[in-house]
Amino acid sequence: MSTQRIVFVGVGGQGNLLASNLLGQAALAAGQHVVVSEIHGMAQRGGVVESAVILGDATSPIVSNGEADVLVSFEPVEALRLLNKVNKDSLVITNTRPLPPFTVAIGAAPYPAPEDSVVYLKKKLAKVIAFDGQSLAEEAKNPLSLNMVMLGALFGAVKLPIDVKTMKKVIRSQTKKRFAASNVKAFDLGFKAAA
């Protein structure tokens, strides 16, 4: 099996780590070899959170520069920050709804327009999928389900060695029961947005 390196990036509170953890569990349930890693950067204060899921024969949890096959960004500026992880053939899937950092909130730094971020990404890469994932989470009646939307978009855009049925089963069994239905709906909306 070929190796697939998927990097997730977002800021604290967006559910990045849960998404990568669920993908890792689904990979195990599907009988796939998987390595999952995570990096926190003051996550509870809105700092960057990065995680990686490596499917296939790789043993290292590290995704070196230019090595990611897919970058799933929960926040548009975070996609720009991690451009070093991808190469010209990589796919970037990004939520376009900004979550400005503290420095922007206090007026100490500007925040680029999300449209400009997407234009920049498309100049650098051949494959970019950009959409307002937060609005889909709200449509699913669960504003905290952006992570499920982005996970669904990954499945909609990339051929993975894990079937959708297995992924949804893991979502239902590993997320809070009261959110299970809305999480699956958010996954479906993300899938449709990226397919």
Side-chain angles (χ1 to χ4, degrees), residues 17 37-41 48-52 85:
L17 298 182
S37 67
E38 55 190 59
I39 299 171
H40 307 246
V48 64
V49 179
E50 176 187 335
S51 59
K85 291 288 185 191

Side-chain angles (χ1 to χ4, degrees), residues 142-154:
N142 181 357
L144 299 177
S145 65
L146 173 65
N147 52 356
M148 298 301 120
V149 171
M150 301 311 289
L151 199 53
L154 173 67

Side-chain angles (χ1 to χ4, degrees), residues 100-123:
F102 177 71
T103 52
V104 172
I106 63 170
Y111 188 93
E115 310 80 48
D116 294 343
S117 297
V118 172
V119 167
Y120 186 81
L121 289 169
K122 288 183 175 178
K123 283 182 183 173

Side-chain angles (χ1 to χ4, degrees), residues 17 60 83 107 114 159:
L17 298 182
S60 171
L83 266 181
K159 183 167 178 47

Side-chain angles (χ1 to χ4, degrees), residues 36-111:
V36 178
S37 67
E38 55 190 59
I39 299 171
H40 307 246
M42 297 294 285
Q44 297 203 352
R45 295 187 183 199
V48 64
V49 179
E50 176 187 335
S51 59
V53 177
I54 303 170
L55 300 163
D57 296 330
T59 54
S60 171
I62 305 297
V63 177
S64 300
N65 287 347
E67 222 179 33
D69 298 297
V70 185
L71 172 63
V72 181
S73 175
F74 291 32
E75 208 283 329
V77 165
E78 296 307 326
L80 299 177
R81 283 188 206 201
L82 278 199
L83 266 181
N84 63 323
K85 291 288 185 191
V86 300
N87 60 65
K88 64 179 179 53
D89 297 320
S90 302
L91 168 65
V92 172
I93 303 170
T94 185
N95 171 34
T96 57
R97 178 87 61 96
L99 188 55
F102 177 71
T103 52
V104 172
I106 63 170
Y111 188 93

